[in-house]
């Protein structure tokens, strides 16, 4: 019985440890400015085999899942908006924190922050999100353009 109580306490501690704030385009844009790699901001569809995504494992203490080959088709952001057609092979890299892993949805429209790594384009999917935004709205697109033009603080309405 003691081991069961200890296990429940550990699980409760782990559950409390991953407390994610809902990311915004502006938050992610600010974080992207702090990484040494170039970041592309894309809007479109990422397609890949969803069966390759890692499953959540409550016994897992953190690991890096295998990268997943994917295709992106859509548009890249420029100062006028998402107007530059863009399509290429990319790598989706789920990231884990403890037993929680980030994921993605194949074939769903999204705004995506993609990192240039050598000659590859890598889309990281962290456990707390912040690199792939689904349910794209006009306000999200406007926020991305405002950030691109140096004004992430702009409050834009739908």
């Amino acid at each position: 019985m003691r081991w069961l109580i200890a296990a429940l306490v550990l699980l409760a501690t782990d559950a409390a440890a991953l407390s994610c704030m809902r990311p915004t385009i502006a938050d992610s844009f600010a974080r992207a400015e702090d990484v040494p790699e170039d970041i592309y901001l894309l809007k479109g569809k990422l397609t890949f085999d969803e069966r390759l995504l890692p499953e959540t494992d409550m016994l897992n203490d953190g690991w890096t899942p295998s990268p997943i080959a994917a295709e992106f088709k859509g548009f890249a952001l420029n100062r006028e908006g998402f107007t530059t057609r863009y399509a290429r092979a990319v790598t989706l890299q789920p990231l884990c924190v403890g037993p929680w892993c980030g994921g993605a949805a194949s074939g769903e429209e999204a705004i995506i922050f993609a990192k240039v790594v050598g000659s590859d384009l890598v889309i990281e999917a962290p456990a707390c999100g912040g690199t792939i935004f689904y349910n794209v709205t006009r306000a999200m697109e406007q926020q991305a353009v405002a950030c691109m033009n140096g004004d992430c603080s702009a409050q834009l309405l739908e």
Side-chain angles (χ1 to χ4, degrees):
M1 184 66 154
R2 282 186 177 173
W3 68 268
L4 179 60
I5 292 170
L8 290 174
V9 168
L10 286 174
L11 287 177
T13 302
D14 283 345
L18 188 66
S19 178
C20 301
M21 298 290 291
R22 184 178 204 140
T24 66
I25 296 289
D27 295 335
S28 297
F29 203 98
R31 277 193 298 278
E33 290 179 344
D34 293 336
V35 299
E37 298 89 358
D38 287 336
I39 302 290
Y40 289 0
L41 198 50
L42 309 171
K43 184 184 90 168
K45 294 182 180 180
L46 185 65
T47 54
F48 61 95
D49 185 347
E50 287 186 357
R51 295 173 297 180
L52 299 175
L53 288 169
E55 293 185 25
T56 299
D57 179 358
M58 293 308 289
L59 300 177
N60 175 15
D61 63 357
W63 57 291
T64 301
S66 298
I68 300 169
E71 291 286 328
F72 174 83
K73 288 186 182 175
F75 298 88
L77 180 67
N78 60 45
R79 295 203 180 276
E80 287 76 43
F82 291 97
T83 60
T84 304
R85 288 198 182 279
Y86 194 81
R88 72 172 281 182
V90 298
T91 299
L92 174 62
Q93 179 61 67
L95 300 175
C96 300
V97 175
W100 299 277
C101 296
S106 183
E108 298 289 326
E109 184 178 60
I111 291 178
I112 299 169
F113 287 77
K115 185 185 296 188
V116 178
V117 179
S119 61
D120 296 328
L121 198 58
V122 177
I123 300 166
E124 294 180 339
C128 285
T131 58
I132 304 173
F133 294 87
Y134 295 101
N135 303 313
V136 176
T137 65
R138 181 72 183 132
M140 292 165 69
E141 292 180 32
Q142 289 175 333
Q143 187 69 70
V145 172
C147 287
M148 171 66 93
N149 290 311
D151 187 12
C152 271
S153 64
Q155 296 296 316
L156 302 167
L157 303 175
E158 190 65 28

